[in-house]
């Protein structure tokens, strides 16, 4: 007797978690670098928020940090490696926001120094 609805053997399904997928596919070092990338991007957003006095930059930092956290949480439940460019876009935004925050603090310092 042949059963057509039998369970498929293990290992034929794709992993539905980016972090596990990175670990299984590329190894521990790649997983650590992948996690480091998330931490570095988040740290840029946090530092930009703390160092900027501009409300727009602060709001942008909070919003983009929330987008990164939402992306990371979603990566736990879905395989988003197809949408990895979104992570790189967030990384680029983190650098841009950090540069704008630094520029804003130096321009404030320069304007204060010019007054004296």
């Amino acid at each position: 007797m042949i059963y057509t609805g039998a369970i498929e053997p293990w290992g034929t399904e794709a992993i539905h978690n980016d972090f596990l997928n990175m670990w299984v596919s590329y190894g521990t070092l790649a997983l650590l670098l992948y996690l480091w990338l998330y931490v570095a991007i988040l740290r840029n957003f946090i530092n930009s928020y703390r160092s900027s006095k501009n409300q727009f930059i602060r709001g942008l930092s909070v919003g983009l940090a929330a987008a990164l956290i939402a992306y990371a949480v979603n990566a736990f439940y879905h395989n988003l490696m197809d949408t990895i460019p979104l992570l790189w876009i967030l990384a680029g935004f983190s650098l841009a926001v950090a540069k704008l925050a630094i520029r804003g603090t130096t321009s404030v310092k320069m304007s204060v120094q010019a007054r004296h």
Side-chain angles (χ1 to χ4, degrees):
M1 180 177 249
I2 297 174
Y3 293 102
T4 58
I7 298 174
E8 293 185 25
W10 288 31
T12 60
E13 295 285 324
I15 298 173
H16 295 290
N17 182 323
D18 272 349
F19 301 101
L20 286 178
N21 189 19
M22 182 65 72
W23 186 33
V24 169
S25 299
Y26 303 108
T28 304
L29 181 61
L31 175 65
L32 292 175
L33 290 172
Y34 189 59
L35 292 172
W36 174 83
L37 181 63
Y38 277 97
V39 170
I41 295 169
L42 187 61
R43 190 179 330 156
N44 270 351
F45 289 137
I46 291 170
N47 289 341
S48 299
Y49 176 81
R50 289 180 178 166
S51 66
S52 180
K53 302 290 184 207
N54 186 332
Q55 292 297 323
F56 177 73
I57 301 298
R58 291 175 67 114
L60 197 59
S61 298
V62 168
L64 289 169
L68 178 69
I69 291 168
Y71 184 86
V73 167
N74 196 21
F76 273 109
Y77 302 103
H78 295 87
N79 191 357
L80 297 175
M81 285 300 188
D82 297 334
T83 61
I84 198 76
L86 180 59
L87 183 63
W88 290 111
I89 289 170
L90 287 170
F93 275 133
S94 78
L95 294 174
V97 169
K99 186 171 184 175
L100 287 173
I102 290 170
R103 184 181 295 165
T105 56
T106 57
S107 66
V108 169
K109 288 179 184 177
M110 289 174 56
S111 65
V112 170
Q113 289 174 352
R115 290 182 189 166
H116 293 287

